[in-house]
Amino acid sequence: MSALPRPELLVDHGKDSTALTYAHRVLKDADLYFVFNEGETPMSVDLKFDQSGTLRQWNGYTGDILEINARAEDSYTLLHVTLAPWESRLFSIEKRAQIYNAKSLGLKGDGSLETRALQSAIDYIAQAGGGTLSLPEGRYLSGALFFPKGVNLHMAANAYLQASANMEEYPLVPTRFEGKEITWRSAFLNFNDAEGVTVSGEGTIDGNGVVWKLHPFAQGGRPRLIIFNHCDGGSIKGLKLCNQASWCLHILYTHGFTVDGVDISVPEYVPSSDGIDIDSSSDVIVLKSSINVHDDCISIKSGKDEEGRRLGRPSEHILIEDCHFGHGHGAIAIGSEISGDVRHVLVRKCTVDAGNWSPFRFKSQPSRGGHIDDICFEDVNFEGVKNVFDINMDWRSGSQRDSVFVYADELTSLSNIRFVRCSGVAEGMGSINGYRQTPISREAIRFEDCHFIARRKLKLTNAQISSKGINIKIIKE
């Protein structure tokens, strides 16, 4: 797969088309395309717009707006036009707001396997120019589903969508997983190049992870619950997500995405069941969500080793606010795939409960490289967690599934890590483990009005911290 989004306009114009230029603007409810023949000869071209909806053309001379019948294909809008010398055209593609009831499109919602019927309904909406697939009350069982651009999903309060545990229902696809671009099992719900997509409602999406965990992870992996890949401006709101077989929400190569009021839970042990993985994405907001899993609650990543450094796609400008974290290996984990850098992250007004291993987790390896900079935890409170800090720059070195261990030319650096008004009670203070070659400096981590109670002292290895702004009370066992 490519770290770049698909082209916004494709032109099949033959040998005389080098004079064709265009401009594209994205509005709230429509996309505008200005197409111009800058040449001295007429031109006939096939245009393939990366948007679906109602196509209209604006006449600059008369001011008239004409709706045009165009063909939809794979969430593109296809149109053949002939342009005179120096002629320009202005097109708009308006997003369609129509809501389609799944049962009116042939779905039963009776718990029987309905992969084909669901995918057919999704494809029908895409070919009609886009809209929202609405799942009313019922139980829907399905394999992997693929949502073209322009198709949204809404689930009623008593709608229950469960993943089939049949491996054949999940094709192997190009994707990124654990920081590497590879061929891997598709997610349950797949949103690729779906700019502005919305997934919402009060229903439940169940990944059937308790059954899936019996499948060997190495053979193409287990399906993530939902992937949003190149979904700029998208959002997911209000749903209950549970029992993911692997990562729950994977936000990949996306600019501007909101997670609001989502409840993620894995009551029974499922390995690698991360809550939210923010992966080489920017301007991501996570609000008022609750996460209780058996791996990291929220993990922020940016690629792995040489490939991650070469792509250079950081995760940055991330806000996590008013969230609750239950069981998990870490409430907020930075890494370990941080080769493309992680920076400008603000976590504030969050609570962490007993059962969580650590509210503050940073992890890397000597092969990673990359920079972790400007990470702020503000007003984070916790009770009964295992350790306050789990900061390890030598996390599981050489133990990963994939490749030979090779040191990066520059080891991962930490700078401007801040803890402001954070407090709580833990079993232990945990550990901060830096590299022997480049220890964590006293200036890298700062505290302001922080108060911690624990039974075991903080262990420092190749690291120093300042005692300014932090109060630690060690109580007897």
Side-chain angles (χ1 to χ4, degrees), residues 32-262:
L32 296 181
Y33 298 85
F34 178 80
V35 181
F36 183 34
N37 178 8
E38 292 184 325
E40 298 179 349
T41 59
M43 180 187 304
S44 289
V45 295
D46 291 313
L47 303 178
K48 191 174 183 180
F49 300 99
D50 179 27
Q51 188 57 271
S52 59
T54 302
L55 178 65
R56 294 184 173 91
Q57 178 181 322
W58 180 66
N59 188 315
Y61 295 104
T62 66
D64 295 335
I65 298 175
L66 176 66
E67 185 169 329
I68 299 173
N69 290 323
R71 184 162 60 93
E73 181 180 284
D74 296 330
S75 71
Y76 285 102
T77 297
L78 280 60
L79 180 67
H80 181 82
V81 298
T82 299
L83 299 172
W86 310 108
E87 183 182 4
S88 64
R89 303 275 184 91
L90 180 62
F91 299 101
S92 71
I93 301 180
E94 182 179 344
K95 300 172 185 177
R96 288 184 177 166
Q98 185 170 347
I99 298 173
Y100 296 84
N101 186 301
K103 290 186 177 179
S104 70
L105 296 177
L107 272 296
K108 299 176 182 177
D110 60 359
S112 61
L113 184 65
E114 297 190 273
T115 308
R116 289 186 179 180
L118 275 163
Q119 191 62 60
S120 294
I122 292 165
D123 294 341
Y124 172 83
I125 295 170
Q127 294 300 317
T132 298
L133 175 65
S134 177
L135 294 185
E137 179 178 352
R139 294 186 69 89
Y140 305 86
L141 179 65
S142 177
L145 297 172
F146 297 84
F147 288 76
K149 184 174 182 177
V151 181
N152 304 310
L153 175 65
H154 181 83
M155 296 182 62
N158 293 317
Y160 198 96
L161 175 61
Q162 185 176 46
S164 161
N166 181 355
M167 192 177 292
E168 295 181 359
E169 294 267 349
Y170 300 82
L172 298 178
V173 297
T175 187
R176 188 199 235 185
F177 187 71
E178 293 186 336
K180 291 287 188 179
E181 294 200 348
I182 55 175
T183 299
W184 199 249
R185 200 161 308 284
S186 67
F188 179 32
L189 305 184
N190 299 267
F191 297 87
N192 296 304
D193 296 296
E195 183 180 282
V197 65
T198 63
V199 178
S200 62
E202 300 176 56
T204 300
I205 303 175
D206 182 341
N208 213 356
V210 175
V211 179
W212 265 105
K213 72 179 181 180
L214 303 176
H215 293 286
F217 201 84
Q219 297 178 8
R222 299 185 295 269
R224 291 152 287 177
L225 193 71
I226 308 175
I227 184 170
F228 295 98
N229 170 37
H230 290 299
C231 291
D232 296 2
S235 66
I236 181 169
K237 183 175 183 179
L239 291 165
K240 298 177 183 66
L241 311 176
C242 64
N243 301 319
Q244 59 266 23
S246 180
W247 299 355
C248 185
L249 293 182
H250 188 187
I251 302 168
L252 175 63
Y253 298 143
T254 289
H255 174 76
F257 195 92
T258 300
V259 180
D260 186 1
V262 170

Side-chain angles (χ1 to χ4, degrees), residues 9-22:
L9 177 64
L10 295 173
V11 182
D12 181 8
H13 42 55
K15 62 181 180 179
D16 299 322
S17 71
T18 55
L20 186 134
T21 62
Y22 79 94

Side-chain angles (χ1 to χ4, degrees), residues 117 253 302 323 329 337 351 453:
Y253 298 143
S302 64
C323 291
H329 293 183
E337 300 93 335
T351 59
I453 300 174

